[in-house]
Amino acid sequence: MAAAVQDDGINPWRTFASDFAEKKLAVLGLIVFVALIAAAIFAPWITPQNPYDLNQIDFLDGRLEPGSVGSQITYWLGTDDQGRDLLSGIFYGLRTSLAVGAASTLIALVLGGALGLFAAYFGGRVDTLIMRIADLQLSFPAILIALILVSALGQGVDKVIISLVAVQWAYYARTIRGTALVERRKEYVEAATCLAISHRRIVFKHLMPNCTPPLIVVGTVQVAHAISLEATLSFLGIGVPITEPSLGLLIKNGFDYMLSGDYWVSFYPGLALLITIVSINLVGDQLRDVLNPRLKK
C-alpha cells in the first residue's frame, strides 16, 4: 500500500481535493491564479514585445493607442504613454508582483512561524518578549510601517521584500503560537518530553507539523496582502524602481491619463491586480474551510 494512503484505505490528498472542489468559486480562483502564474513565467515567450527593450518600443507613433489588432503587432489592450504594449507590461509586471508577494510571504512565514513556536513552547520571558514585540508591530497600520521602512532603506525589489517581511511576520507568530499552545498540552508532546528528546526535535519534528494548517491559510491570504502592499508602494513611487515592471507602476503611469480619456493605461493593470488578489483570496477562503474541521458543515 502506498505511503500516502492511510491504514483505513482513505487517500488524504484525494479527500482534500474533493473537499476543496466543493466550492466552484474556489476552483475557478485556483485556475485563474495558476493561469496568472503561467503568464508571468512564460511572459518572454507569449507576449508580442518586451516592454522594457527600447529597440521594440515605438516612442513616436505608438503612444496611447487603444486596443486593436494590427497587421504586424497585436495590441489587445492598447499601449501606454511610452508606446509599450500594455498586455506585455501586465504580464511582465505580474512577474515582479508575484515574486515579491511569494518571497516576502515565505520568509515571513518561516521567521514568524519559528518565533511563534519558540514563544509557545518555552513560554515565560521568551513568550512575553516575542509577543509584546508582535503586539507593538500589529498596533500600527501595515502600510505605515512599510512606507517608513522603504523610505529608510530606499527603492529596490529586495528593499520592498525586507519591508513586507517586517510587516507580515507578526501575523504568523501569533497564529502559530495559538495553535502551538493547544498542541503543547497534548500527550504526544508530554511523552516526547518524558523520553528526554531534545527541545529542537520536539519543536520542529513533533510540534511544527501539527501547527502548519493554520499557517497555510494565513500564508495564502498574506500573499494577496503582500501583492497589494507592493502595488501601493510602487504607485506612491517608493516601491520598485521604474526600471522594474510592476502592476503598481503601470497603474501609476496611466493614472494621469484617465481624465483625458485614455482610461486603458491604468484600468487594465488595475483590473489585473484585482483579479490576482480576488483569485488568491478565493483559494485561501476555501483552504480555511477545508483545513479547519470545525468550519465544515
Side-chain angles (χ1 to χ4, degrees):
M1 186 177 295
V5 181
Q6 296 177 341
D7 294 337
D8 55 4
I10 298 176
N11 190 317
W13 292 107
R14 184 175 297 176
T15 302
F16 172 82
S18 176
D19 292 341
F20 185 88
E22 289 180 357
K23 183 179 288 187
K24 302 306 180 184
L25 278 178
V27 176
L28 177 62
L30 180 61
I31 294 173
V32 171
F33 185 54
V34 171
L36 291 173
I37 294 176
I41 294 175
F42 298 105
W45 296 277
I46 63 177
T47 53
Q49 69 172 208
N50 181 348
Y52 293 87
D53 184 357
L54 299 181
N55 295 324
Q56 300 184 33
I57 301 175
D58 186 358
F59 293 95
L60 297 178
D61 300 327
R63 297 178 65 253
L64 299 176
E65 292 185 359
S68 62
V69 179
S71 58
Q72 296 181 348
I73 299 178
T74 301
Y75 295 128
W76 291 98
L77 303 182
T79 60
D80 63 8
D81 60 318
Q82 299 181 35
R84 298 178 298 189
D85 175 43
L86 201 55
L87 180 63
S88 302
I90 290 174
F91 283 4
Y92 274 80
L94 277 171
R95 304 183 88 187
T96 300
S97 298
L98 291 174
V100 169
S104 61
T105 299
L106 180 61
I107 297 172
L109 187 150
V110 173
L111 176 62
L115 291 174
L117 279 174
F118 288 137
Y121 182 76
F122 292 105
R125 294 182 179 178
V126 175
D127 184 24
T128 301
L129 176 62
I130 294 175
M131 287 301 103
R132 294 298 77 77
I133 295 175
D135 290 340
L136 179 63
Q137 190 253 296
L138 291 173
S139 65
F140 294 94
I143 185 62
L144 177 61
I145 298 176
L147 282 170
I148 294 173
L149 290 175
V150 172
S151 299
L153 297 173
Q155 286 187 316
V157 174
D158 55 338
K159 309 298 192 306
V160 173
I161 291 176
I162 292 173
S163 302
L164 295 182
V165 170
V167 167
Q168 292 180 298
W169 74 270
Y171 295 102
Y172 303 106
R174 292 204 64 86
T175 299
I176 200 169
R177 174 184 177 270
T179 306
L181 284 175
V182 176
E183 295 293 328
R184 186 173 177 269
R185 299 186 181 94
K186 292 187 177 179
E187 295 180 354
Y188 72 92
V189 177
E190 296 180 358
T193 304
C194 294
L195 293 173
I197 297 177
S198 65
H199 295 305
R200 185 177 65 177
R201 186 174 180 183
I202 293 175
V203 170
F204 290 107
K205 189 173 181 179
H206 298 280
L207 199 58
M208 186 178 68
N210 294 285
C211 299
T212 51
L215 282 185
I216 295 174
V217 177
V218 175
T220 304
V221 176
Q222 286 300 313
V223 170
H225 188 210
I227 291 174
S228 63
L229 282 177
E230 181 276 323
T232 302
L233 294 173
S234 298
F235 180 83
L236 295 175
I238 60 174
V240 299
I242 58 175
T243 55
E244 296 284 344
S246 169
L247 293 180
L249 279 178
L250 291 175
I251 298 172
K252 175 192 175 184
N253 293 338
F255 188 74
D256 295 334
Y257 296 94
M258 294 192 69
L259 295 179
S260 61
D262 302 322
Y263 67 92
W264 61 86
V265 186
S266 186
F267 174 76
Y268 289 125
L271 182 62
L273 178 63
L274 177 63
I275 292 173
T276 303
I277 293 175
V278 170
S279 64
I280 296 174
N281 283 331
L282 287 175
V283 174
D285 189 55
Q286 181 65 356
L287 283 177
R288 180 198 62 189
D289 295 344
V290 172
L291 295 177
N292 190 345
R294 290 175 295 181
L295 296 178
K296 292 183 180 181
K297 294 182 180 180

